[in-house]
Amino acid sequence: MGDRRLWQVHVALQRARDGEPDAAGLGEPVREAGDDCHLPRTADDFVDRLNRALTVLLLDIPAVRTLATTLALQTPQDTHVQAAYEQIRAACTTAGIS
């Protein structure tokens, strides 16, 4: 269910970015969230970052789970995590994702 909600957020941000009238109200909350959390400030920024995150998650390789777990639990990064990151970069390069 969480995956579906993440995609719904992604679609809503894309619609706001593209200026669709029924998504126009999303712009101000996005700016406020950016101000409060020091995150990207525009819908474009959010969409771009979310695109990258979703792309990596869609790779569905063990390295993604390793890195996601490390980030979610804020555990110390070691050589195992660095290796996972390098595997993800290699998979993205192979898939043509920059």
Side-chain angles (χ1 to χ4, degrees), residues 12-13 15-17 19-32 43:
L13 287 172
R15 293 174 71 205
R17 178 196 62 191
E20 292 187 23
D22 60 337
L26 189 56
E28 185 59 31
V30 166
R31 279 188 294 282
E32 288 175 7

Side-chain angles (χ1 to χ4, degrees), residues 56 59-69 80 83-85 87-88:
V56 169
L59 290 173
D60 195 30
I61 58 176
V64 171
R65 289 184 288 283
T66 297
L67 193 57
T69 301
H80 186 66
Y85 177 76
Q87 290 170 10
I88 291 168

Side-chain angles (χ1 to χ4, degrees), residues 5-63:
R5 288 188 181 141
L6 185 57
W7 282 107
Q8 289 172 335
V9 168
H10 182 255
V11 168
L13 287 172
Q14 283 182 316
R15 293 174 71 205
R17 178 196 62 191
D18 295 342
E20 292 187 23
D22 60 337
L26 189 56
E28 185 59 31
V30 166
R31 279 188 294 282
E32 288 175 7
D35 290 343
D36 291 344
C37 303
H38 307 289
L39 294 172
R41 298 183 190 277
T42 67
D44 278 342
D45 292 333
F46 278 107
V47 169
D48 290 344
R49 288 178 184 220
L50 190 52
N51 272 334
R52 286 187 293 239
L54 289 170
T55 299
V56 169
L57 290 173
L58 286 173
L59 290 173
D60 195 30
I61 58 176

